[in-house]
Amino acid sequence: MKVNFLDLKPKEAFRYDEIMSAVRGVIDSAWFVRGEAVSRFESHYAEYIGSQYCVGVGNGLDALTLMLRAYKELGHLSDGDEVIVPANTFIATILSITSNGLTPIFAEPTYDGLVLDMTKLEALVTSRTRAVMTVHLYGRCAYSQSLSSFCERHGLLLFEDNAQAHGCVYEQDGLMRKTGSLGVAAAHSFYPGKNLGAYGDGGAVTTDDCDVAEKIRSLGNYGSSSKYIYEYQGVNSRLDEIQAAVLDVKLRHLDEDNRRRHEIASFYYDNIRNDNVTLPSRLSDHLNVYHLFPVLAKNRDDLSDFLKSNDIQTICHYPVPAHQQECYKQYAGLSLPITERLSREELSIPIGPAMTDEEVRYVTETINAFRG
Ligand SMILES: *Cc1c(COP(=O)(O)O)cnc(C)c1O
């Protein structure tokens, strides 16, 4: 049996038909940018996340970058301000900070939780600290009451990178709140492989702040809010009509897709048994939408080779942390032992709504047969 890392073909014919007819609708309307499909998706997605506003942009990196830039244009952030960010995140999170002239302060995750270690934050605060960018990495909720009170105590803005956690829910005082609605603003990516993925690039920012939403819309449209009048030196970063139409259909199936991810993850947690393979801490269902299913292994490369020789595709997220990348030479001296250990030991095994029970069993049995 061959198991791909992620299969993006619609698994049921009815979804294929739904998506094709949505795409056809856009083509027939002959309106491709800044039209009704985008407005409709933005309002559905804002409602889904539980935010007042949603602004569609070109991709997840632009969502992050324009979100931070809007706070700069509004005077809430300035050059050289420090933003605390998990060191083991995808490079885009860090790029959005540095490209805005802000300084990333790399925070360690916990080894078995994989997201921000809340106990290590206090020591990172300086007089220049202005914000925390939390990242719900792998689909795991990286928000907590203690993160929120930490931000309040130090007067910090809390941003979320929700690229990997569409549909994840945090329960607070009996209220169910989605990730993407927990801080002042959140960036979302709709890259095809994400839980909510387009058929190309796409992204969005959600926020309850009207000024922020307006700024982002203007910045992503050349810096203009009325035609041919430019308030900012902006960029062109817009969600297009076809992607919005696809996303609107896929949004209706997101919870169902995430439920399938939960079933697969439960099977992995209940059945993977190998002394050479560690599973991350198991969160209650609503706190994890299993964008990825990471496992940890000292002999990670051997495990990956072994699975490959059995026709199972895996990917490491991420083999080289940002502070050890060529493009961030200035941070090469930092020592971040947990982040560095994770970059050596992490391996993501197949998970996705289209995986069959046979595939899940085969992956499990093969991992159990691995002899470190
Ligand atoms: C995918 C991703 C991004 C970037 O999204 P793109 O749409 O690919 O630009 C940002 N942050 C995280 C954590 C991601 O996984």
Side-chain angles (χ1 to χ4, degrees), residues 116-165:
L116 272 184
D117 184 345
M118 311 289 174
T119 67
K120 300 229 180 96
L121 296 181
E122 206 71 46
L124 300 174
V125 177
T126 73
S127 59
R128 290 309 303 269
T129 314
R130 292 289 175 276
V132 175
M133 172 79 76
T134 193
V135 184
H136 309 295
L137 206 62
Y138 306 112
R140 300 171 71 90
C141 181
Y143 173 87
S144 65
Q145 200 53 63
S146 75
L147 177 60
S148 156
S149 32
F150 168 79
C151 290
E152 259 170 50
R153 200 159 55 245
H154 295 283
L156 309 178
L157 296 165
L158 177 61
F159 296 104
E160 297 173 81
D161 179 339
N162 198 44
Q164 301 195 359

Side-chain angles (χ1 to χ4, degrees), residues 58-64 89-93 135-138 161-164 187-191 194 201-203 291 318:
N59 55 64
L61 173 58
D62 285 355
L64 285 159
T89 186
F90 180 56
I91 196 76
T93 325
V135 184
H136 309 295
L137 206 62
Y138 306 112
D161 179 339
N162 198 44
Q164 301 195 359
H188 310 255
S189 163
F190 306 124
Y191 181 78
K194 310 292 189 188
D201 277 312
H291 169 58
Y318 299 92

Side-chain angles (χ1 to χ4, degrees), residues 26 29 52-53 55 87 96 108 131 143-144 148 151 159 178 181 194 210 245 248 269 271 282 293 310 325 346:
V26 173
S29 79
Q52 289 286 316
Y53 306 97
V55 182
S96 71
E108 287 266 60
Y143 173 87
S144 65
S148 156
C151 290
F159 296 104
K178 295 248 168 60
S181 71
K194 310 292 189 188
C210 180
D248 210 31
Y269 271 111
N271 295 285
R282 189 171 182 172
F293 195 94
N310 285 285
Q325 296 283 354
E346 196 276 346

Side-chain angles (χ1 to χ4, degrees), residues 11-296:
K11 73 176 183 317
E12 297 115 344
F14 73 87
R15 274 204 209 182
Y16 185 81
D17 292 344
E18 255 185 289
I19 289 170
M20 289 311 274
S21 94
V23 169
R24 211 174 293 119
V26 173
I27 295 172
D28 289 345
S29 79
W31 194 283
F32 300 105
V33 175
R34 281 164 70 83
E36 279 174 15
V38 169
S39 311
R40 206 176 309 126
F41 172 70
E42 285 175 341
S43 83
H44 290 157
Y45 193 66
E47 191 185 330
Y48 179 83
I49 292 293
S51 289
Q52 289 286 316
Y53 306 97
C54 168
V55 182
V57 297
N59 55 64
L61 173 58
D62 285 355
L64 285 159
T65 306
L66 295 177
M67 170 173 79
L68 293 178
R69 183 160 169 207
Y71 279 81
K72 283 189 78 185
E73 300 292 357
L74 287 163
H76 302 314
L77 288 173
S78 10
D79 284 339
D81 282 352
E82 294 177 358
V83 181
I84 296 174
V85 60
N88 61 326
T89 186
F90 180 56
I91 196 76
T93 325
I94 312 296
L95 291 172
S96 71
I97 295 170
T98 56
S99 71
N100 270 297
L102 305 167
T103 304
I105 301 299
F106 296 99
E108 287 266 60
T110 59
Y111 177 71
D112 70 339
L114 305 166
V115 298
L116 272 184
D117 184 345
M118 311 289 174
T119 67
K120 300 229 180 96
L121 296 181
E122 206 71 46
L124 300 174
V125 177
T126 73
S127 59
R128 290 309 303 269
T129 314
R130 292 289 175 276
V132 175
M133 172 79 76
T134 193
V135 184
H136 309 295
L137 206 62
Y138 306 112
R140 300 171 71 90
C141 181
Y143 173 87
S144 65
Q145 200 53 63
S146 75
L147 177 60
S148 156
S149 32
F150 168 79
C151 290
E152 259 170 50
R153 200 159 55 245
H154 295 283
L156 309 178
L157 296 165
L158 177 61
F159 296 104
E160 297 173 81
D161 179 339
N162 198 44
Q164 301 195 359
H166 317 115
C168 191
V169 172
Y170 181 79
E171 187 181 343
Q172 190 169 20
D173 307 326
L175 276 177
M176 306 299 268
R177 296 169 62 200
K178 295 248 168 60
T179 58
S181 71
L182 301 167
V184 292
H188 310 255
S189 163
F190 306 124
Y191 181 78
K194 310 292 189 188
N195 289 40
L196 179 59
Y199 286 171
D201 277 312
V205 177
T206 52
T207 180
D208 284 341
D209 188 323
C210 180
D211 293 339
V212 169
E214 270 175 23
K215 288 289 171 254
I216 293 168
R217 202 176 289 287
S218 160
L219 289 167
N221 188 45
Y222 317 109
S224 164
S225 33
S226 64
K227 205 164 175 144
Y228 303 131
I229 304 297
Y230 305 98
E231 217 181 331
Y232 304 103
Q233 296 173 24
V235 297
N236 175 358
S237 183
R238 304 176 296 219
L239 185 63
D240 72 68
E241 290 286 293
I242 289 188
Q243 298 308 333
V246 169
L247 287 166
D248 210 31
V249 172
K250 292 181 93 180
L251 179 60
R252 296 201 281 275
H253 299 286
L254 177 60
D255 288 342
E256 179 193 331
D257 283 352
N258 283 342
R259 276 195 293 279
R260 177 62 186 151
R261 289 175 187 272
H262 283 130
E263 280 174 15
I264 297 166
S266 290
F267 190 90
Y268 282 155
Y269 271 111
D270 293 342
N271 295 285
I272 293 179
R273 295 278 176 275
N274 187 322
D275 291 342
N276 299 298
V277 178
T278 304
L279 303 190
S281 63
R282 189 171 182 172
L283 300 174
S284 46
D285 267 2
H286 59 274
L287 289 172
N288 193 344
V289 288
Y290 297 99
H291 169 58
L292 297 167
F293 195 94
V295 304
L296 306 169

Side-chain angles (χ1 to χ4, degrees), residues 270-337:
D270 293 342
N271 295 285
I272 293 179
R273 295 278 176 275
N274 187 322
D275 291 342
N276 299 298
V277 178
T278 304
L279 303 190
S281 63
R282 189 171 182 172
L283 300 174
S284 46
D285 267 2
H286 59 274
L287 289 172
N288 193 344
V289 288
Y290 297 99
H291 169 58
L292 297 167
F293 195 94
V295 304
L296 306 169
K298 291 224 162 47
N299 302 330
R300 186 263 317 274
D301 296 340
D302 295 338
L303 174 61
S304 156
D305 290 347
F306 177 76
L307 293 173
K308 191 174 171 199
S309 69
N310 285 285
D311 263 347
I312 297 169
Q313 263 182 5
T314 58
I315 302 180
C316 166
H317 298 93
Y318 299 92
V320 182
H323 70 284
Q324 296 182 333
Q325 296 283 354
E326 177 70 21
C327 66
Y328 286 126
K329 282 199 276 289
Q330 67 268 42
Y331 300 113
L334 288 178
S335 166
L336 296 158

